[in-house]
Amino acid sequence: MEFLGWRSFLDRWNAEWAAAPSTREEAEEDGEEGSLEEMVEEGLGFPPVSEERISALEQRLGATLPPSYRSFLAASDGWRRADSAVYLMGTADGVHWHGDPMGFQANYENALSANSSAQDVVMAGMWSRALQLSLDSDMTDLLLDPGDVNAEGEWALYVYRGWSGEYPTRFESFGAYMRARFAEFHDDNGADPASSTTRRAHSTRPWSGRGSPVWPGTTSTVSWRR
């Protein structure tokens, strides 16, 4: 499956973030003159990663990246502020195997019982094998699990907030996580779901290569004006 539309999707997110009230509030909280202009100029994304660098990353990791994350890198070498507690994530040079430095896997596996689901078992084993995407955060991990793969080759993404005391939240893919974060951005900034991206995200009209692109990580289309 092709994963089309990352560039348009990310450009839209960046433009709407730059104009959002929450971005101005964040700059004002920083209290530095010119902070808003500097934040907007820096933006959320980065230049794309070349195919040669993506291949080098896969060689370094010893694994083929899941499609939605791989195609994301071809559009942007990472992303800032994807989450309220994740300030930088997903750069080609920064992602690495998590390695379970806090020993969570043993705790989760010891908590398994005869009543545990198959998904519980998969998540318990995720910690030592996952790819860490979160590079600067408030105790928040973004973990892509190569042991939890769907029919399209997508690795599940788990969000673990170390300060919450809760189990990780599972997303079907990196693309699904990014769509959810963009929808959350709209919610936080008072978007009307009846007339905004939330409604448009449910369109299922195939993309012919013109006009509205496919949502990253899906076959659904988004009909926005640019």
Side-chain angles (χ1 to χ4, degrees):
M1 177 186 297
E2 283 190 278
F3 291 86
L4 305 172
W6 270 121
R7 187 68 269 164
S8 296
F9 172 70
L10 298 175
D11 285 348
R12 178 179 174 86
W13 188 345
N14 186 75
E16 295 188 3
W17 165 82
S22 60
T23 304
R24 180 173 295 277
E25 291 167 5
E26 181 182 349
E28 290 173 351
E29 288 175 2
D30 289 344
E32 298 181 8
E33 185 176 354
S35 178
L36 176 62
E37 290 74 14
E38 292 171 4
M39 285 173 57
V40 169
E41 182 176 358
E42 182 179 63
L44 299 177
F46 298 88
V49 183
S50 68
E51 177 60 31
E52 290 75 17
R53 285 188 62 210
I54 294 174
S55 295
L57 169 60
E58 292 178 323
Q59 185 173 7
R60 170 168 71 85
L61 297 174
T64 299
L65 296 171
S68 63
Y69 177 55
R70 195 180 200 281
S71 56
F72 164 81
L73 286 174
S76 180
D77 187 9
W79 197 248
R80 302 179 181 94
R81 300 179 175 87
D83 185 294
S84 60
V86 179
Y87 315 125
L88 176 65
M89 67 90 183
T91 68
D93 289 340
V95 299
H96 56 275
W97 295 117
H98 181 244
D100 192 24
M102 303 300 292
F104 288 143
Q105 182 159 323
N107 295 334
Y108 276 72
E109 289 180 339
N110 289 337
L112 294 173
S113 70
N115 296 323
S116 296
S117 68
Q119 185 59 58
D120 291 336
V121 174
V122 170
M123 184 176 68
M126 171 269 299
W127 300 95
S128 62
R129 65 177 178 248
L131 183 66
Q132 174 69 279
L133 300 188
S134 179
L135 304 176
D136 183 14
S137 74
D138 181 8
M139 296 178 64
T140 300
D141 295 323
L142 304 180
L143 302 172
L144 275 174
D145 183 8
D148 187 349
V149 184
N150 69 15
E152 297 172 348
E154 292 289 356
W155 304 1
L157 186 146
Y158 291 85
V159 179
Y160 177 65
R161 304 183 189 282
W163 40 264
S164 71
E166 299 177 353
Y167 274 52
T169 301
R170 181 184 183 276
F171 295 85
E172 186 71 12
S173 66
F174 175 78
Y177 166 77
M178 291 292 276
R179 293 194 306 278
R181 295 286 71 81
F182 186 51
E184 183 180 81
F185 161 78
H186 271 271
D187 289 343
D188 291 345
N189 286 276
D192 179 2
S195 62
S196 70
T197 306
T198 306
R199 179 187 65 190
R200 293 189 291 265
H202 290 87
S203 169
T204 57
R205 177 172 55 81
W207 188 41
S208 65
R210 301 183 301 276
S212 301
V214 175
W215 270 99
T218 73
T219 55
S220 298
T221 61
V222 183
S223 302
W224 61 59
R225 294 186 177 88
R226 298 192 64 196

